[in-house]
Amino acid sequence: MKVFVTGIGTDVGKTIASSIIVEALEADYWKPIQAGDLNHSDSHKIKSYISNPKSQILENAYALQTPASPHLAAAIDGITIDRNKIIEPKTKNNLVVEGAGGIFVPLNHSDCVIDLIQPDNKVVVVSRHYLGSINHTLMTIEILKSRNLNVAGIIFSGDENPSSESIILEKTGIKMIGRIDNEPYFDQNVIKYYADLFRENLNELV
């Protein structure tokens, strides 16, 4: 199984969600583009959060110095991101791919994060409740569907909002994988707890 984790924006909980999915499926993890924080990158965070012995952390296609939109971070580094050089690594294991920001975060003048999603990827959308998040969630899912991509499930991150969650699920028909609460901290035990909680729903992704 290949799972692409995207979000409705930045800082909605994609990396925590990715770590839970990696742990639940004992999957390999790949972040195609890392922009900034290279000594404490998302790959480093995933490695520290998971506890199963099977998962491998695969090398970024691009590791950029500046914490900014990939197109800008690349320009500051004096390069241009070439989508043709971002090749999904081959593995016999399950694979979790984490995008950067939302689906229309630009990689260069022609490509965005959505262009990295492969036809055989099962897309998991991470949504966090804030004023305007229903609109951002519905638009994200609608755009993914318009590209004929397989939107397989949604994870809600943060405090529960039954009204928002119910209308999103009703309007999209997307399977809810689970909710990640506002935990005081995340460590291997907390990630394993959610992995056990979400595993059945993740294994049923279509």
Side-chain angles (χ1 to χ4, degrees), residues 18 22 27-31 42-43 46 56-58 96 98:
S18 295
V22 167
D28 292 345
Y29 171 84
W30 183 47
K31 175 96 172 184
D42 291 340
S43 295
I46 296 286
Q56 299 293 317
I57 310 301
L58 305 174
V96 174
E98 182 182 350

Side-chain angles (χ1 to χ4, degrees), residues 99-118:
I103 57 173
F104 277 153
V105 166
L107 308 181
N108 50 44
H109 289 292
S110 57
D111 300 311
C112 293
V113 167
I114 193 170
D115 298 304
L116 299 178
I117 304 175
Q118 300 300 306

Side-chain angles (χ1 to χ4, degrees), residues 129-130 133-134 156 161-169:
H129 301 305
Y130 54 81
S133 65
I134 295 175
F156 292 106
N161 187 323
S163 175
S164 293
E165 291 170 21
S166 64
I167 197 69
I168 288 167
L169 296 173

Side-chain angles (χ1 to χ4, degrees), residues 40-58:
H40 190 54
S41 67
D42 291 340
S43 295
H44 287 98
K45 293 172 186 174
I46 296 286
K47 187 174 183 179
S48 71
Y49 286 144
I50 62 174
S51 54
N52 81 83
K54 188 176 179 181
S55 296
Q56 299 293 317
I57 310 301
L58 305 174

Side-chain angles (χ1 to χ4, degrees), residues 114-143:
I114 193 170
D115 298 304
L116 299 178
I117 304 175
Q118 300 300 306
D120 63 345
N121 291 171
K122 301 178 189 297
V123 182
V124 171
V125 175
V126 181
S127 177
R128 190 174 189 90
H129 301 305
Y130 54 81
L131 187 62
S133 65
I134 295 175
N135 181 52
H136 293 160
T137 304
L138 295 180
M139 284 198 302
T140 296
I141 293 170
E142 183 71 20
I143 291 163

Side-chain angles (χ1 to χ4, degrees), residues 119-201:
D120 63 345
N121 291 171
K122 301 178 189 297
V123 182
V124 171
V125 175
V126 181
S127 177
R128 190 174 189 90
H129 301 305
Y130 54 81
L131 187 62
S133 65
I134 295 175
N135 181 52
H136 293 160
T137 304
L138 295 180
M139 284 198 302
T140 296
I141 293 170
E142 183 71 20
I143 291 163
L144 288 164
K145 287 181 174 181
S146 75
R147 297 278 189 103
N148 294 317
L149 295 167
N150 180 2
V151 188
I154 186 168
I155 291 175
F156 292 106
S157 174
D159 293 333
E160 182 179 8
N161 187 323
S163 175
S164 293
E165 291 170 21
S166 64
I167 197 69
I168 288 167
L169 296 173
E170 176 187 331
K171 284 186 170 294
T172 63
I174 299 301
K175 179 184 181 68
M176 178 176 166
I177 295 168
R179 181 188 306 99
I180 306 166
D181 293 328
N182 272 328
E183 301 290 350
Y185 62 87
F186 287 95
D187 61 10
Q188 289 186 353
N189 289 330
V190 177
I191 294 301
K192 189 175 187 306
Y193 165 79
Y194 280 103
D196 292 341
L197 200 62
F198 291 5
R199 185 172 291 110
E200 183 176 352
N201 284 340

